């Protein structure tokens, strides 16, 4: 089970950190992906971190503004996005999988329920 938290309303230019808590397992053997879906748009991959944290990927939309990490073998993954823009407004999801790391949703088997992030201009 994955549960996201940390969403909300943020002003443009601000930052936000999302958390993803996994239970009952620990995250060290899973790749964790972050996805988002804006109203009327397809879900898109934002970032992922491989098992053991030795590979991270960012989409072009957030590259240079985002950082993803886990708590080193614990059960929580994080995504920080800085310099938020109105186009970052979406429902954000974390997902876990063991089929490799990447931004394709098909790599992930378990999904959180999603959390709203709204960026005001």
């Amino acid at each position: 089970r994955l549960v996201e938290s940390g969403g909300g309303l943020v002003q443009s230019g601000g930052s936000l950190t999302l958390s993803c808590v996994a239970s009952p397992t620990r995250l060290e053997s899973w790749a964790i992906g972050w996805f988002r879906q804006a109203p009327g748009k397809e879900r898109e991959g934002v970032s992922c971190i491989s098992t053991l944290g030795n590979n991270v990927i960012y989409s072009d939309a957030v590259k240079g503004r985002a950082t993803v990490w886990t708590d080193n073998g614990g059960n929580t993954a994080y995504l920080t996005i800085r310099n938020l823009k109105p186009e970052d407004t979406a429902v954000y999801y974390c997902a876990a999988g063991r089929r490799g790391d990447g931004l394709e949703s098909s790599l992930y088997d378990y999904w959180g329920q999603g959390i709203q992030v709204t960026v005001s201009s």
Side-chain angles (χ1 to χ4, degrees):
R1 182 174 177 233
L2 301 172
V3 179
E4 302 97 340
S5 63
L9 175 64
V10 185
Q11 286 191 332
S12 181
S15 62
L16 199 68
T17 296
L18 303 177
S19 301
C20 173
V21 177
S23 62
T25 190
R26 299 168 72 86
L27 293 177
E28 57 192 350
S29 63
W30 298 82
I32 300 299
W34 286 95
F35 295 80
R36 68 186 184 186
Q37 188 166 20
K41 295 188 176 181
E42 297 288 320
R43 183 170 55 191
E44 63 172 342
V46 175
S47 180
C48 75
I49 183 167
S50 66
T51 56
L52 306 179
N54 59 348
N55 185 38
V56 295
I57 300 172
Y58 299 101
S59 71
D60 289 343
V62 301
K63 194 173 294 182
R65 300 190 294 124
T67 305
V68 62
W69 75 101
T70 63
D71 59 348
N72 288 330
N75 66 341
T76 305
Y78 303 89
L79 174 69
T80 293
I81 304 178
R82 301 171 294 277
N83 190 23
L84 284 159
K85 307 173 183 180
E87 51 263 44
D88 293 317
T89 295
V91 177
Y92 283 72
Y93 301 87
C94 66
R98 284 177 166 166
R99 290 198 290 271
D101 44 285
L103 299 182
E104 299 79 24
S105 57
S106 60
L107 293 173
Y108 300 91
D109 298 307
Y110 300 96
W111 293 78
Q113 81 286 354
I115 192 162
Q116 179 69 45
V117 172
T118 302
V119 183
S120 63
S121 57

